[in-house]
Amino acid sequence: MAYTALYRLYRPSDFEDLVGQEHIKKTVKNALQRQKFAHAYLFTGPRGTGKTSTAKLIGKAVNCLSPTENGEPCNECDNCLAVKEGTMNDIVEIDAASNNGVDEIRNIREQVHFSPSQGKYKVYIIDEVHMLSMGAFNALLKTLEEPPAHIIFILATTEPHKIPLTIISRCQRFDFRRISPSAIVERMKYIVKDQNLQVDDEALQLIASIAQGGMRDALSLLDQSISYAADQVNAEDVTTIIGKTSIRFVGNVVELIEKGDISAVIEQVDEIIEQGKEPEYFIEDLIGYYRDVLLFKTTNNPTHLNTAVVDDQFKSIVYHLEQSTVQSMIAELLDCQTTLKWSKQAKTSIEVTLVRLIDLKGNESDNNKQQEANNPITEMLIEQVSSLREEFRRMKNTTQTNQIKELPDTAKIIKEKILPSASKPYVEFLKGKYNRVLSYLGTKNEGLFRMLSKTQPVLCSRTHVVIYFNERHAMETAYDEDNIHFIEKAIDEVIGQPLKVVFTESQEWIKITEDYKKMIQQQKERKQA
């Protein structure tokens, strides 16, 4: 028999099993109990927080042959068993990411008029509904306006801002929240006990922290950890799987920073890189550790801690660090975290940041500063890292300069090659297809899809299209040969016409249009003269 993943095996069978989302459970259960549920729901929220599970529970409950007094499905009748086995024809799940066209929604419009074959209601669950094209949304709108009495639509999305307001206004909206780490841990403890497994509490806490409020992510990581460790899972197994450093290792680094031992700190960074650990996770853990230091120092309450373990080492660090120093250290680490997102010099960035942390700690007392000044080894290391810092700044400035220099003269291209042959029908046609272009990009390159989510075509000829960005920084980030290739391919696939892509941004576009209007006016005046 094929293995079933934990998140599927322990998918909630009733509303009591649904972790978190108490505000949603209460509202839905009351509606089911009173038989006053809506014909269309919109479920929004981060991934893995229970949107699809709740949708399936509603589908099961409304079709249950013997529901309980509080509206819960009985989980024993033929319809409940059919839902569990995935053979219930009246509950239809649609992935809008791959079925996002007008034709798919038209098929639904044709099918909704047929009565349910097994249950009392036909339930359509449309996942990632924000991926539908504008034409598909318009087709769906007509069905939502006057749905048959036996139809329930449940739309689920992680990006509600991309859904037209006309759709949102016809749905009962529920916003799913991130599940608390404590609730995730309790659910995992139940599963571990039910499966007769051995998993340390520290490992469960770490998994819950990494999942960031997503139950599905937590169970997937738990599944992976069990496969890796086999007999007994500990926190070290979890950190190995995802490329994180252990909390004890992070605590040792913080202790070395507190002591001002630059040489040892740099050696720790070398060890992280050599072991293939992710630099971003290391900085994230340092931020979490110092955050816990700050909270424990101000509240003396260990229940508020998310990362650190309250042991003698942690208490010593809390005692020796000043509150203002910890705040400054966290600010430095947050800056480093931002830098790592685009920097190719991760090791250098981390080294520079850690030296700054040591400087901050050293500034707490004149005595510590004097000791550091009298240490020739420390002076040498500071000089070396300072040199690295300057090199890093030079590389950063060079990179930014190169990016600016590599941008084409878009204003010249637009004025000379596109505007003379541009046509309003062309651009209107492309605007109507643009959501489909973005949806196609979303299946191929999610990062580029996010970059283009707030753009629009503003000019189009038979050979070129101009895509408008609200901010120059966003345009510069997107201007890349690979990105251009992806966009041009997406346009060709969707509209069947190859077009060269040119980017512009708000200030540049305003100047281009003003200059063009002046040129047209001047031509008119010359003709009249």
Side-chain angles (χ1 to χ4, degrees), residues 252-262 264-265 313 316-317 320-321 358 361-362 368 371-372 378:
N252 291 338
V253 172
V254 172
E255 187 175 33
L256 291 171
I257 292 171
E258 195 273 328
K259 292 178 179 177
D261 193 340
I262 297 178
V265 169
Q313 181 189 56
S316 174
I317 290 168
H320 287 99
L321 278 173
I358 292 174
K361 178 64 181 74
N368 287 343
Q371 289 177 358
E372 288 182 13
T378 300

Side-chain angles (χ1 to χ4, degrees), residues 18 95 112 117 129 145 195 220 332 342 372 417 443 482:
L18 189 65
D95 178 18
V112 296
S117 59
V129 70
E145 285 176 341
Q195 290 285 313
S220 295
E332 287 287 350
W342 60 267
E372 288 182 13
K417 292 187 177 182
T443 63
D482 291 338

Side-chain angles (χ1 to χ4, degrees), residues 39 109 111-114 121 143 146-153:
H39 69 277
R109 287 177 55 190
Q111 294 170 9
V112 296
H113 297 290
F114 296 102
Y121 293 90
T143 306
E146 298 178 1
H150 58 268
I151 294 295
I152 298 175
F153 280 98

Side-chain angles (χ1 to χ4, degrees), residues 215-358:
M215 180 59 73
R216 185 173 64 240
D217 288 353
L219 295 185
S220 295
L221 183 52
L222 176 62
D223 221 343
Q224 189 178 356
S225 302
I226 293 167
S227 299
Y228 174 81
D231 296 329
Q232 183 165 353
V233 179
N234 56 40
E236 192 65 33
D237 297 322
V238 179
T239 58
T240 301
I241 289 170
I242 65 169
K244 285 174 73 76
T245 51
S246 70
I247 298 305
R248 289 184 178 85
F249 181 92
V250 174
N252 291 338
V253 172
V254 172
E255 187 175 33
L256 291 171
I257 292 171
E258 195 273 328
K259 292 178 179 177
D261 193 340
I262 297 178
S263 179
V265 169
I266 299 300
E267 288 176 2
Q268 296 296 308
V269 176
D270 290 338
E271 183 178 336
I272 292 167
I273 302 300
E274 287 173 5
Q275 290 179 355
K277 302 293 186 181
E278 292 294 335
E280 294 87 352
Y281 280 140
F282 174 60
I283 294 298
E284 183 180 292
D285 286 338
L286 276 176
I287 293 170
Y289 197 98
Y290 278 114
R291 175 258 186 200
D292 288 354
V293 169
L294 184 62
L295 290 186
F296 193 79
K297 195 171 187 69
T298 54
T299 66
N300 200 33
N301 187 347
T303 60
H304 294 151
L305 308 189
N306 293 335
T307 304
V309 177
V310 182
D311 52 15
D312 291 339
Q313 181 189 56
F314 178 76
K315 291 178 180 177
S316 174
I317 290 168
V318 171
Y319 176 77
H320 287 99
L321 278 173
E322 296 293 335
Q323 183 174 326
S324 58
T325 303
V326 179
Q327 292 172 345
S328 299
M329 286 176 163
I330 292 174
E332 287 287 350
L333 289 166
L334 289 171
D335 287 343
C336 179
Q337 190 178 47
T338 302
T339 302
L340 287 177
K341 292 179 181 178
W342 60 267
S343 173
K344 294 181 180 179
Q345 300 292 324
K347 184 173 182 291
T348 303
S349 299
I350 293 172
E351 288 172 336
V352 170
T353 299
L354 295 183
V355 169
R356 287 174 180 167
L357 299 189
I358 292 174

Side-chain angles (χ1 to χ4, degrees), residues 370-387:
Q370 185 63 38
Q371 289 177 358
E372 288 182 13
N374 294 333
N375 188 335
I377 297 177
T378 300
E379 285 184 351
M380 180 184 69
L381 287 167
I382 290 176
E383 184 178 350
Q384 290 176 350
V385 177
S386 296
S387 176

Side-chain angles (χ1 to χ4, degrees), residues 153-170:
F153 280 98
I154 304 177
L155 316 180
T157 180
T158 55
E159 302 184 52
H161 59 280
K162 294 182 179 178
I163 300 176
L165 293 176
T166 50
I167 296 289
I168 294 176
S169 65
R170 287 165 174 80

Side-chain angles (χ1 to χ4, degrees), residues 397-416:
N397 292 333
T398 302
T399 302
Q400 292 175 338
T401 304
N402 288 342
Q403 287 177 342
I404 295 171
K405 288 181 179 179
E406 289 174 2
L407 288 179
D409 188 351
T410 53
K412 183 177 180 181
I413 296 172
I414 292 170
K415 291 176 182 178
E416 296 181 359

